[in-house]
Structure formats: structure tokens, C-alpha cells
Amino acid sequence: NTMADTGRTRAYHLQLLDKIKARPVTPIEVLGDNFDILKAPSSMTMDRQRQSWHWFLFLIAKKRIVDYKLQNDCPKADIMTLETSSWLLTPQEVQSYQDNIDFHVANVLVKYLKFLNSYADYIPPYISHAHIKESSQRSEVLNAELIDAPENSATGIITILKRLNQLVVPYTRGDNAEVIERVVLGGDVLTNERAFSGQAALQNADNENDSCTGIIHRPEGLHRLMNFLMVTFL
């Protein structure tokens, strides 16, 4: 009976996944960072000491650029067998990156240097790309929750991960819960490193729900590009 019940539960989960894929929900991503307050008195005494509060603020943002044709149920490639050279940028990608850097530097120069202001009309207003229509739309962001836990401690980051997992990641029901749709957690590099370490501490959990497997870590664009910029020029 136990094997039969397990088989029926598995079949139900597969049917549920097919229904969800047939009617995809609005894709979202989570943005989060530590929110700290330090109260330092002008003159400290025994009764007047420094006080600090540590929270984690997270927002839910609607993805503006989505390709529903891309598969989300399996990796595009096995990362363990990929050639190292496949991670390197092509000459065309390097040139495109350098052109974009030149564009941003030129915009800063003509905006803040008075003797270059007259050249502002010669700088394009934006970098042209295939998704200009979607990216020009206003972001839809929900201020979701302020979690009372510090990200700089092991117990704190695990508390944060479990709360995010509970709120935004859909799972199947039952003791062997499986991820229905993974959700990206974006933040600065330090936040992602701490979240990854917290997730690693949960990897021996009984199921995907308890191990918070449904959360994917990704540094936000600015932090990712700045890290790459430092590697490129330093």
C-alpha cells in the first residue's frame, strides 16, 4: 500500500506540474539586503551605550523580460562537463561590453563637465538592444517584508532563507515536497555569499522544501558588472 500511495502521490504531482506549466503565473524575483540601524550617543555612560538593530528587507519584483519558450525544468547543460573555454567571452561580447562602458563614461562626462555640456546632443539617449520596449517599462515592485533577523549570522541567514522559502517558492504537498518553480534571490555579492552558505547548511534536509532548494542566488546587475569591471581593468 505504501508503494501504491507513493506512486499515486507522484502521479498527482506530475499532473499538477503540467497544469502549472500550461498556465504560467507572473514570473517574479526577490531582491533583498540587510537593513541596519546604529544608535550612538554623543557621550556614552553606563546607561547610555551604543545600540544596534539588524533586519533583512526584501522586495518582490515582477520580471519584465521573460522568454516562455526557454525550458525551466532542466539545466541547459551539465556544468561538470562544460569546457572551461565556454565560460570565456567571445571577441564580439568583449567589444560590446567595452562599447557600453564607453557609452556610460561619455554620458557622465558630458553631464558633469561644463566644457563638455555642448556635446550632450551627440550622445545616444540609451543603448539599443532587443528588449528596449520591455526594459523601458516602469518596474513593478512590492515591499514585501522586513524580517527580524541579521544576515551576518548563521542562524540569522537560515531564518531569512526559510521565511523567503515559505513566502515565495511554490512546492508540491506532502512529506517529499518538490520545487514547482524556483525563485531568484538578487542582492549584493556579500548577501548572496551568506545566503549560499546558509543553503549549504540545509542540504541534508529531508526534502527540497526543508532544504530551501527553490531559491537561486544571483548578484544584482550593478554588483556583477562592477566585479567584472575590476577584474577587467585591475
Side-chain angles (χ1 to χ4, degrees):
N1 291 337
T2 302
M3 293 182 62
D5 292 340
T6 302
R8 284 193 292 269
T9 302
R10 180 66 177 171
Y12 167 76
H13 288 170
L14 293 175
Q15 293 176 0
L16 179 62
L17 289 173
D18 290 338
K19 290 181 180 179
I20 292 173
K21 291 175 182 177
R23 299 176 59 188
V25 296
T26 301
I28 63 170
E29 60 182 348
V30 175
L31 308 173
D33 202 356
N34 56 299
F35 184 79
D36 304 320
I37 295 178
L38 173 64
K39 181 181 178 182
S42 56
S43 57
M44 290 193 295
T45 64
M46 290 292 293
D47 299 326
R48 299 180 61 191
Q49 295 290 319
R50 289 180 179 176
Q51 293 178 290
S52 60
W53 297 267
H54 306 277
W55 299 284
F56 187 85
L57 175 66
F58 83 94
L59 313 173
I60 297 176
K62 177 182 176 181
K63 290 184 180 179
R64 293 177 294 179
I65 302 174
V66 180
D67 189 350
Y68 289 104
K69 296 179 182 179
L70 293 177
Q71 295 184 353
N72 194 37
D73 54 354
C74 62
K76 294 177 63 177
D78 183 0
I79 193 173
M80 302 301 295
T81 59
L82 282 177
E83 294 289 340
T84 305
S85 59
S86 65
W87 295 93
L88 300 177
L89 297 176
T90 64
Q92 293 79 11
E93 290 172 330
V94 172
Q95 184 60 50
S96 175
Y97 179 76
Q98 291 178 343
D99 292 342
N100 292 343
I101 293 296
D102 292 342
F103 168 83
H104 290 299
V105 171
N107 267 281
V108 171
L109 293 177
V110 299
K111 181 178 180 180
Y112 293 104
L113 298 182
K114 290 184 178 181
F115 68 93
L116 294 178
N117 290 164
S118 58
Y119 293 95
D121 294 337
Y122 297 96
I123 305 296
Y126 53 81
I127 299 174
S128 181
H129 56 85
H131 302 285
I132 193 68
K133 179 180 179 181
E134 294 88 346
S135 60
S136 62
Q137 298 174 358
R138 184 174 181 179
S139 300
E140 297 183 38
V141 181
L142 172 66
N143 192 337
E145 187 169 327
L146 189 63
I147 302 175
D148 187 11
E151 71 166 43
N152 59 356
S153 71
T155 55
I157 194 62
I158 289 176
T159 299
I160 292 168
L161 286 174
K162 288 185 175 180
R163 183 56 178 160
L164 294 177
N165 188 66
Q166 177 187 9
L167 291 176
V168 299
V169 182
Y171 290 91
T172 57
R173 298 179 180 177
D175 295 333
N176 297 318
E178 297 180 2
V179 179
I180 296 175
E181 188 78 20
R182 286 176 168 80
V183 176
V184 171
L185 169 60
D188 58 34
V189 176
L190 183 57
T191 296
N192 278 183
E193 288 178 354
R194 289 167 171 169
F196 184 82
S197 298
Q199 198 175 45
L202 299 171
Q203 63 182 349
N204 292 326
D206 294 333
N207 54 59
E208 293 185 350
N209 188 3
D210 293 339
S211 62
C212 299
T213 306
I215 298 176
I216 303 174
H217 311 288
R218 183 202 66 193
E220 280 306 288
L222 173 64
H223 300 280
R224 186 168 61 251
L225 290 176
M226 288 307 298
N227 287 343
F228 184 73
L229 183 66
M230 287 189 291
V231 171
T232 303
F233 292 97
L234 299 180

